[in-house]
Amino acid sequence: QVQLVESGGGSVQAGGSLRLSCVASGKIPTPNRMGWHRQAPGKQRELVATITSGLDRSYADSVKGRFTISRDDAKNMVYLQMHDLHPEDTGVYYCAFQFYTAWGPSLPSWGQGTQVTVSS
């Protein structure tokens, strides 16, 4: 079981930047995929960005060009650099980890979440 701990959330004004970090611990299978999801009040959790152990990245359309996901496998870390934040980016951001099996990706492990609040 992989444990995930996020950090780096906070409150910023629109147009500001934040960098989220997530450290993974425990037995970490490879290949794998790490990512960030977010959940705004009253809304479903949505995918923000993912990065595989082969460094393939994907982003939600709403964050393309503003957010960058990266990872440092030597430190078991994944990051989300967020620029030009909008009020609609507000929510709890969750780190997620999946590994690949012969039957496809595993169910995700989740961190506890970190709050991001963007004021207009």
Side-chain angles (χ1 to χ4, degrees), residues 8-18 82 85-87 90 116-120:
S11 297
V12 296
Q13 290 190 327
S17 298
L18 282 173
M82 305 184 292
L85 283 160
H86 302 165
T90 294
V116 171
T117 302
V118 185
S119 58
S120 57

Side-chain angles (χ1 to χ4, degrees), residues 50-72:
T50 63
I51 184 168
T52 69
S53 45
L55 302 183
D56 291 324
R57 295 172 173 85
S58 66
Y59 297 93
D61 288 342
S62 60
V63 307
K64 284 180 181 177
R66 301 188 297 122
F67 292 10
T68 301
I69 190 169
S70 61
R71 60 190 288 164
D72 183 341

Side-chain angles (χ1 to χ4, degrees), residues 35-100:
W36 292 93
H37 295 64
R38 67 188 180 192
Q39 187 165 19
K43 294 188 176 181
Q44 290 189 330
R45 192 173 298 188
E46 62 175 358
L47 176 68
V48 176
T50 63
I51 184 168
T52 69
S53 45
L55 302 183
D56 291 324
R57 295 172 173 85
S58 66
Y59 297 93
D61 288 342
S62 60
V63 307
K64 284 180 181 177
R66 301 188 297 122
F67 292 10
T68 301
I69 190 169
S70 61
R71 60 190 288 164
D72 183 341
D73 287 343
K75 298 179 180 179
N76 293 330
M77 299 285 293
V78 64
Y79 307 97
L80 186 68
Q81 179 67 56
M82 305 184 292
H83 293 300
D84 188 24
L85 283 160
H86 302 165
E88 52 266 35
D89 294 317
T90 294
V92 179
Y93 283 67
Y94 296 91
C95 181
F97 175 91
Q98 294 174 282
F99 61 93
Y100 293 100

